[in-house]
Amino acid sequence: MSTHPKISIRDLHKTFGDNEVLRGLDLDVEEGQSLVVIGGSGTGKSVLIKCVLTLLKPDRGRIAVDGANIARQTDRDRRMMAEKSGMLFQSAALFDSMKVWENVAFRLIYADKKTRQQAREKAIDCLAQVGLAPEIGELTPAELSGGMQKRVGLARAIAADPEILFFDEPTTGLDPIMADVINNLIVERVKALGATAISITHDMASARKIADEIAMLYQGRIIWRGRPDEIENSGNPMVDQFVHGRAEGPIQMQVRRDFRTKS
Amino acid sequence: MNVFASTGRLTIDSVREIGRVANFAFRGGFSWFLGPFYWRAVWSALARIGYASLPVVGLTAIFTGGALALNIYEGSLLPNTEAFLPQILGVSIVRELGPVLAALMVAGRCSSAMAAEIGTMRVTEQIDALSTLSVDPFKYLIAPRILATTIALPLLVLVADIIGVYGGYLVSVYALGFSPEIYVNNLIDFISMEDVTSGLIKATVFGFLISVMGCYYGYTSRGGAGGVGAATRTAVVAAAVSVLASNYFMTSLLVDV
């Protein structure tokens, strides 16, 4: 039997009120692959990964992870996805009432029922893997800079050795050097875990660095997919416009026309 | 706009909201019976909601007890005020004022704090983060708060009862010059166990309602600082109104008319 992809999404739809965010999206991610989904703000990138993570329920469609459909999001599906995956949130989403090490060890203490001592050792190990000293573990998240918070978020995501990692805009709000540090850490940690990774970003430098493949999301569907070195010559005007960050092009035209008909 | 249409929409929206709150309360209550239990979270909620509310509940009770004694004395036209003042005061505090005032103070203090805390966690994606870390937010955030408030409020009311009656005692003895023995004897003779338990039963229900409102509006808040602000405001109003409304209905059940 041929091996099925780690994640296979078919005909995924999600609507909020009148806003059709996902309109029949298809996407496959092979095991051990790092896929980056690019697209403008509000195109549904976050909605896509929240559907896969069972944080948002799709209206229809199929999301198969290791061959099992999780789109109905039963309690069992949710448990399975939480066990398999780790997520780095855009705002890091650290628990601000806890120390840094407790954040990293959170899953180990509360879900995996490790002793606090064991969990703490693992947390300090994970902090070291993202280049943070053990003393940082004693601080609270509010005392950290944005870049450090992202690193702690990454440490928390990898603490339970997940099979699938999700990164939501990992470099947003960081200076270019810190962004590159985060990109390097992501590449390194994903490789070390042998994990499958799905990232969403609109930062092209980040996308080129962490992607095995890049997919572009536009109007609720994947309109192009290819290797990072192919993206310069994608032959797709919308991808071209996005990659080169031009205001003029098919995407902006669409926005303007919508705006005019509404007003 | 059509009056009938807007009345209808308002009715449907209200019924929907009540349904959602009831569903939330059921889920929150049901989570107590399914593991895993986060005892640490229950314990810290008990400390924050119960123990830390003692000063404000105590102050409310002592001043209310004192003011009530003055009012009863002032309004009394009968000769033996000294004997029936503690009776009226005791029953008023134990059956009505203790539970309601303590619940309103806890509603103001804790349902707002719960809504703000859980709401902030919602808008900063911390609740989503809990789910991705294999921890059910209902069991970790909601159930411990509901359980802690439901346990803490009757205990706070018991304290409020004692302090409120003591406030009445202080005013009777030191301001009105009544005899301490008569106060204590009349109080003990007149107040029954049933008066106290009816107050405590009310308090248990109030505790449940206050925490459900605080948690529900926080959990469902949307859209940044403004959303959390609105959630906090709605939570306090909903908690206070549900305390007062349920108080009437429970009183009418507990009092044989």
Side-chain angles (χ1 to χ4, degrees):
Chain A
M1 204 184 103
S2 68
T3 54
H4 41 63
K6 185 79 179 169
I7 300 167
S8 171
I9 302 169
R10 288 288 173 274
D11 195 33
L12 196 66
H13 288 260
K14 179 70 188 176
T15 303
F16 294 97
D18 298 332
N19 185 14
E20 264 189 283
V21 179
L22 301 179
R23 308 176 191 178
L25 180 141
D26 296 324
L27 189 66
D28 283 338
V29 190
E30 298 299 328
E31 179 145 20
Q33 186 183 41
S34 172
L35 178 80
V36 172
V37 179
I38 57 170
S41 308
T43 48
K45 303 188 298 289
S46 290
V47 173
L48 168 64
I49 60 172
K50 285 190 172 168
C51 284
V52 180
L53 269 164
T54 67
L55 296 174
L56 271 178
K57 194 166 181 175
D59 299 333
R60 85 191 135 87
R62 187 182 151 81
I63 304 171
V65 175
D66 289 329
N69 184 14
I70 55 154
R72 285 194 304 123
Q73 303 198 345
T74 59
D75 284 348
R76 212 170 126 231
D77 296 338
R78 291 211 178 86
R79 264 202 306 278
M80 185 192 87
M81 275 315 286
E83 270 163 31
K84 279 183 199 280
S85 46
M87 162 99 175
L88 173 58
F89 287 85
Q90 187 176 346
S91 58
L94 301 177
F95 304 126
D96 36 31
S97 56
M98 295 179 180
K99 287 180 182 169
V100 165
W101 80 264
E102 289 173 310
N103 265 281
V104 177
F106 190 86
R107 184 203 292 253
L108 306 173
I109 297 173
Y110 290 94
D112 300 346
K113 302 288 170 203
K114 294 264 194 323
T115 65
R116 285 178 77 79
Q117 191 51 42
Q118 286 172 322
R120 195 191 158 94
E121 278 163 21
K122 175 81 182 174
I124 286 172
D125 183 40
C126 289
L127 284 172
Q129 288 175 27
V130 297
L132 294 175
E135 302 87 76
I136 302 287
E138 295 303 318
L139 301 176
T140 61
E143 295 172 278
L144 304 180
S145 69
M148 293 233 263
Q149 289 189 356
K150 284 273 164 85
R151 287 203 257 177
V152 174
L154 178 59
R156 184 174 71 179
I158 60 173
D161 305 325
E163 297 167 29
I164 310 170
L165 276 164
F166 295 87
F167 301 102
D168 184 355
E169 312 256 357
T171 55
T172 300
L174 302 179
D175 68 74
I177 299 170
M178 184 50 82
D180 202 48
V181 170
I182 298 287
N183 288 335
N184 285 337
L185 282 171
I186 287 175
V187 172
E188 195 186 301
R189 287 300 108 208
V190 169
K191 284 239 170 66
L193 285 170
T196 308
I198 300 184
S199 319
I200 57 179
T201 188
H202 46 234
D203 173 359
M204 284 312 300
S206 171
R208 285 196 183 91
K209 189 133 197 180
I210 61 185
D212 294 329
E213 271 199 282
I214 297 177
M216 173 138 170
L217 180 62
Y218 181 62
Q219 292 193 331
R221 291 194 193 86
I222 300 294
I223 55 162
W224 182 85
R225 182 171 176 167
R227 289 196 313 274
D229 55 355
E230 294 170 336
I231 201 161
E232 294 298 332
N233 306 303
S234 63
N236 184 317
M238 282 177 276
V239 175
D240 251 14
Q241 187 195 345
F242 189 86
V243 171
H244 296 107
R246 283 193 293 259
E248 296 302 318
I251 296 177
Q252 186 69 29
M253 292 291 283
Q254 189 71 41
V255 172
R256 283 196 190 151
R257 212 177 300 127
D258 283 348
F259 182 67
R260 211 172 288 148
T261 51
K262 268 181 198 159
S263 58
Chain B
M1 196 190 177
N2 188 335
V3 180
F4 294 106
S6 52
T7 314
R9 185 156 308 126
L10 190 68
T11 313
I12 291 171
D13 285 350
S14 317
V15 172
R16 270 206 190 128
E17 184 76 355
I18 291 169
R20 278 193 288 259
V21 174
N23 189 22
F24 185 89
F26 183 76
R27 245 184 100 184
F30 200 63
S31 301
W32 298 342
F33 303 104
L34 300 168
F37 304 99
Y38 299 105
W39 294 114
R40 237 183 135 82
V42 176
W43 189 245
S44 80
L46 264 178
R48 249 176 309 142
I49 295 157
Y51 182 69
S53 295
L54 276 173
V56 69
V57 167
L59 282 171
T60 309
I62 199 155
F63 286 120
T64 307
L68 195 59
L70 289 177
N71 273 315
I72 296 168
Y73 176 74
E74 181 67 25
S76 153
L77 297 167
L78 298 168
N80 57 339
T81 310
E82 191 171 11
F84 71 75
L85 185 145
Q87 301 174 352
I88 300 176
L89 184 135
V91 171
S92 313
I93 294 231
V94 167
R95 291 192 76 103
E96 196 66 33
L97 291 173
V100 171
L101 290 179
L104 288 177
M105 294 316 280
V106 172
R109 205 181 156 269
C110 300
S111 66
S112 54
M114 283 180 215
E117 192 180 355
I118 296 175
T120 305
M121 290 187 74
R122 165 62 76 196
V123 301
T124 56
E125 298 184 306
Q126 291 180 50
I127 292 184
D128 285 342
L130 278 177
S131 303
T132 66
L133 294 169
S134 291
V135 170
D136 182 344
F138 252 83
K139 290 177 185 159
Y140 182 76
L141 287 178
I142 312 295
R145 281 174 173 75
I146 296 181
L147 184 63
T149 319
T150 310
I151 294 171
L153 203 59
L155 299 175
L156 284 169
V157 166
L158 206 55
V159 174
D161 288 351
I162 294 165
I163 295 180
V165 166
Y166 181 65
Y169 171 90
L170 290 178
V171 168
S172 304
V173 173
Y174 296 103
L176 306 175
F178 289 173
S179 142
E181 288 80 32
I182 296 179
Y183 187 93
V184 173
N185 290 337
N186 274 285
L187 192 72
I188 292 172
D189 288 348
F190 197 75
I191 293 181
S192 66
M193 200 58 213
E194 196 212 314
D195 294 328
V196 179
T197 48
S198 82
L200 297 185
I201 291 169
K202 282 181 181 180
T204 311
V205 176
F206 295 159
F208 182 77
L209 290 172
I210 289 168
S211 51
V212 165
M213 295 304 172
C215 292
Y216 173 77
Y217 287 103
Y219 198 76
T220 54
S221 68
R222 290 283 178 276
V228 176
T232 309
R233 193 172 346 116
T234 319
V236 177
V237 172
V241 170
S242 63
V243 163
L244 295 170
S246 66
N247 178 54
Y248 172 76
F249 292 110
M250 282 191 286
T251 308
S252 65
L253 285 176
L254 291 165
V255 172
D256 301 320
V257 184

